[in-house]
Amino acid sequence: MFPFGHPHRRFVMITMSAARLVLAGMFAVAALAKVADRGGARQAVTAFGVPRAAAALVATAMIATEFGVAALLITQPRAGAGAALVVLAGFAAAALANLVRGRRPDCHCFGRLSSGPLGWPTLARNGCFATLATFVACGGQFGWPLTGFGIVMLALWLGPAARRRWLARPGTADGLALPDRAGNVWTLDKLLEPRRPLMLIFSQPGCGACDLLLPEVARWQHDLDGRVRVALVNGGPAGHRVPLELVDESRAAFAAFGITATPSAVLIDDGRRSEIARGATAIGELVDHAARLSDQARLTRRGLLRRASLSVLPVAAATACDSGGTSDAKALQVEDVWMCDQTFALCTTAPCVPSPTDPNISVCDCVVVNGNSIGSKNCTDRAQSGNMIRSAFSTVNINANFAVLSCPAGAAWANCLDVECEIDATNPARAKCQCVTVKTGPSITFGGGCDTATCTSTTWSAATPDMYQAGMRQLRAAMDRVGKPVTFPKPCPAPK
């Protein structure tokens, strides 16, 4: 052993102190970030596989544990390092279980400070922190195995990010010029817009998985218009029913972006290119990530305006109280439904997945909308409360790309009318709705892109034909009474 005054021992002690401070800071920041975004923490826990009913308890326990580990690292370094190893090992096990199943939920490890899809670099980062914790727990005693492990983990953590920056260097895809269905030529510069992420989704003829993804691509292009540019790059002749389809029969874009299989996607944001997302699940997660990036950028730009508006809020609130505190919702009853002008969840094109806790419930990914909608509950019951809203029926987002798809009896669908929905804390433009799963009778949906195969491959938010006809009649009558136009989509053409 070296005496304390020995230069080597001093170096070890200084390094140990730095390591435990880094670890303590990491755990403290992670805990504080989760406290600042409890809703996001609960959603992340649920995404990792924890039942929804236990999500709040588990998220709270995580926060308390992280605070406790941070405190131990300061007061009792070796005990704190041991506790850190246990926590890091638990997270690594949960992450590994999701990755081997092909799932990549948002890590949300540091709340809104750093949120992105789970990946192997996340495990490598965990390994780096585990190396530091082992070093502290062993009292500064380390050998080549631990050092080598730490170096490998560091390379696996930072290497992919460095590779992405290299691939996104200027000029990588310069010169690409792809025509759309109308013959207009799109270059990469034309596709890229300031503060607007670009999603390139690659497809090719004969790709069944690509065909199943097309309705989602059309929905993303519509729902994210103005926030994320979503372009379909087709390796064959044009022919898909999506608004922005680029033809790349020479596969020049495929080669430039390293696409070797479809469906695949690449996200370009602020000069940075993501890793290639392969498969429908990974592409959907990358699209959600792009939407969050866009929303975060928009919130940042509006931050100054929001802060300025805060000074006006007390005056506005006092004025509202003086005038009797009337509700913002404008209510109009038509037959047995109410039309309300307020915030609601629109699920007419929403894809759904089975609830992990209730076989009779489907969780549907819906859009948060402000405007007129109809539902069987009155406007007071449907008014937003915190991050909870109700779903309702409307055609406010209808355009020429929408059509009514009729699905046969026996195809499962979800009834989302008047159900409770929770606004996504990380993406306020989306909401998760707890809809009732229906497995009998025919159904009608605005989703599916007129592809009847999706009636059985996807659970859509839908309605019975009678419900849809009644909803159209009631919505038209209500909109006529307030003097506003209403547009309904046309039926899908009959299958050939």
Side-chain angles (χ1 to χ4, degrees):
M1 295 292 292
F2 295 101
F4 180 77
H6 193 281
H8 177 79
R9 184 58 181 166
R10 284 201 303 271
F11 172 76
V12 169
M13 295 300 293
I14 292 171
T15 307
M16 277 185 59
S17 296
R20 69 187 179 91
L21 288 175
V22 168
L23 286 170
M26 182 271 291
F27 277 102
V29 169
L32 288 170
K34 291 182 180 70
V35 169
D37 185 19
R38 286 182 176 271
R42 288 195 301 270
Q43 288 185 347
V45 167
T46 303
F48 265 73
V50 175
R52 187 182 183 87
L57 179 62
V58 173
T60 302
M62 285 175 54
I63 293 170
T65 300
E66 288 172 339
F67 275 130
V69 171
L72 269 178
L73 282 163
I74 298 299
T75 58
Q76 301 180 45
R78 297 184 71 169
L85 279 172
V86 172
V87 173
L88 291 169
F91 173 76
L96 188 61
N98 278 274
L99 288 173
V100 296
R101 290 181 173 88
R103 301 179 65 249
R104 299 183 64 206
D106 265 5
C107 170
H108 219 75
C109 304
F110 297 95
R112 294 182 180 176
L113 296 177
S114 175
S115 181
L118 182 71
W120 297 108
T122 314
L123 276 179
R125 181 184 66 191
N126 211 56
C128 289
F129 289 132
T131 302
L132 292 179
T134 304
F135 174 65
V136 175
C138 293
Q141 302 298 317
F142 65 94
W144 284 112
L146 181 61
T147 304
F149 177 79
I151 292 173
V152 170
M153 290 297 103
L154 187 64
L156 292 175
W157 174 21
L158 300 180
R163 178 176 177 272
R164 286 196 300 271
R165 289 185 179 277
W166 168 255
L167 290 174
R169 67 195 187 280
T172 300
D174 282 357
L176 287 179
L178 303 178
D180 61 17
R181 288 181 297 174
N184 301 311
V185 176
W186 292 77
T187 63
L188 189 61
D189 287 340
K190 185 177 178 181
L191 288 166
L192 291 169
E193 293 182 354
R195 298 182 297 275
R196 186 178 178 186
L198 169 65
M199 277 287 305
L200 297 177
I201 300 176
F202 294 82
S203 171
Q204 61 183 338
C207 170
C210 302
D211 294 339
L212 292 176
L213 187 63
L214 290 177
E216 285 295 282
V217 175
R219 182 175 69 86
W220 292 329
Q221 289 184 343
H222 174 268
D223 292 349
L224 299 177
D225 186 30
R227 296 163 58 205
V228 179
R229 186 189 291 282
V230 180
L232 178 71
V233 181
N234 184 8
H240 298 312
R241 290 187 294 270
V242 296
L244 182 55
E245 178 186 9
L246 307 180
V247 179
D248 185 28
E249 294 188 78
S250 67
R251 305 295 181 96
F254 281 64
F257 290 96
I259 304 299
T260 58
T262 56
S264 295
V266 171
L267 170 65
I268 302 173
D269 177 59
D270 196 24
R272 295 184 297 272
R273 185 190 303 178
S274 72
E275 291 183 330
I276 298 172
R278 297 180 175 88
T281 300
I283 292 172
E285 291 168 350
L286 190 60
V287 170
D288 290 341
H289 181 57
R292 286 192 295 273
L293 288 175
S294 175
D295 290 340
Q296 289 168 3
R298 182 172 54 183
L299 290 172
T300 300
R301 294 195 301 273
R302 294 181 179 176
L304 183 60
L305 180 60
R306 286 206 312 273
R307 287 194 292 271
S309 68
L310 288 176
S311 61
V312 183
L313 288 178
V315 178
T319 303
C321 292
D322 290 342
S323 62
T326 58
S327 171
D328 289 337
K330 302 177 181 65
L332 176 64
Q333 187 172 12
V334 176
E335 299 179 12
D336 58 347
V337 300
W338 289 85
M339 186 174 79
C340 307
D341 186 1
Q342 58 190 27
T343 302
F344 66 99
L346 183 61
C347 303
T348 50
T349 61
C352 311
V353 296
S355 167
T357 58
D358 189 340
N360 297 315
I361 296 295
S362 292
V363 181
C364 301
D365 182 22
C366 303
V367 184
V368 178
V369 179
N370 290 299
N372 290 300
S373 65
I374 61 170
S376 58
K377 294 185 178 294
N378 62 46
C379 299
T380 301
D381 290 343
R382 283 156 53 190
Q384 181 175 350
S385 176
N387 65 339
M388 302 302 295
I389 56 177
R390 289 271 179 181
S391 61
F393 176 64
S394 174
T395 59
V396 66
N397 65 336
I398 293 300
N399 60 34
N401 298 313
F402 279 73
V404 179
L405 174 64
S406 296
C407 292
W413 55 280
N415 184 356
C416 291
L417 186 63
D418 286 321
V419 301
E420 278 198 335
C421 309
E422 183 175 9
I423 296 175
D424 188 339
T426 60
N427 183 9
R430 314 292 300 187
K432 297 294 185 183
C433 297
Q434 305 291 315
C435 304
V436 179
T437 304
V438 183
K439 298 181 180 179
T440 58
S443 61
I444 284 180
T445 179
F446 292 176
C450 290
D451 184 355
T452 55
T454 64
C455 290
T456 52
S457 64
T458 304
T459 300
W460 294 106
S461 169
T464 66
D466 289 344
M467 289 170 59
Y468 177 60
Q469 293 296 329
M472 285 198 303
R473 183 186 70 251
Q474 292 160 343
L475 181 60
R476 181 180 286 111
M479 296 294 276
D480 285 346
R481 285 175 59 177
V482 296
K484 293 184 178 180
V486 60
T487 302
F488 293 99
K490 297 179 180 179
C492 291
K496 296 181 180 179

